[in-house]
Amino acid sequence: MEGPALVSWMTAAGCGATGAFCLLHARHKDAPRQRTADGAMGLGMALMALPSGVPAPPPETLAVLFAGLALWPLPGLPRGHRAHHTTEALAMVYMALSMASATGAHAAHGNGLGVPVITWALLAYYAVHLVRSGPRLVPATAQGSPRGSPGDAPCATSGVTAACRTSLSLGMLAMLLTM
């Protein structure tokens, strides 16, 4: 990932932690396939976000990994999440191929024409996704009492799933901005 090393490391740490959390809790009964898909995406994004100069898999290998995630059948997932997962994976394929074709610091942006339309479209998509998913992170209240009971497992709520998706979208936005 281009840009300041601190941003790269923070993005890699956030995506890696989210991916590991999702994979560790994939056994949970509320959304195992969804968490496995989000976990694989998070760990792949962490590899992609590593600062340039740090040993990492070649961009071509990452492109194949993310293409596989885009084609991964996710039966039982809601259509919206499946579409978001596919968009996320294809965006990572796009970034990996851009990295592979880059010969200079910003050669992936084209022939001096600025940022490609695809990058702008993806930036808009993830910005809108973050704005829409933010309210899902605030606990809903029913007559003044918080949702769930104090003894509920933290993984049992859909809020954790929304937080994972929001974290990965924030990582995507950071990576797109530094492209």
Side-chain angles (χ1 to χ4, degrees), residues 3-174:
L6 180 62
V7 173
S8 297
W9 281 114
M10 288 175 63
T11 303
C15 291
T18 300
F21 179 84
C22 289
L23 285 177
L24 286 174
H25 296 285
R27 311 183 307 246
H28 200 272
K29 63 182 177 183
D30 73 337
R33 286 188 178 108
Q34 187 172 335
R35 287 179 193 257
T36 301
D38 289 344
M41 182 62 69
L43 293 179
M45 287 173 62
L47 285 174
M48 183 89 121
L50 290 172
S52 54
V54 174
E60 295 85 1
T61 303
L62 292 172
V64 170
L65 167 78
F66 289 116
L69 286 173
L71 298 172
W72 186 357
L74 297 168
L77 284 186
R79 180 181 289 173
H81 181 64
R82 194 174 316 132
H84 175 74
H85 175 74
T86 302
T87 302
E88 197 169 46
L90 291 175
M92 293 303 291
V93 170
Y94 165 70
M95 286 192 279
L97 293 176
S98 294
M99 285 173 52
S101 68
T103 56
H106 291 283
H109 290 281
N111 303 332
L113 300 175
V115 180
V117 174
I118 295 172
T119 304
W120 283 111
L122 290 170
L123 282 168
Y125 174 80
Y126 286 106
V128 168
H129 184 265
L130 286 169
V131 168
R132 287 185 60 213
S133 64
R136 294 183 197 141
L137 300 178
V138 178
T141 58
Q143 298 187 1
S145 64
R147 178 178 51 182
S149 65
D152 282 347
C155 301
T157 64
S158 63
V160 173
T161 303
C164 285
R165 268 190 242 134
T166 302
S167 173
L168 293 179
S169 289
L170 188 60
M172 288 293 291
L173 196 63

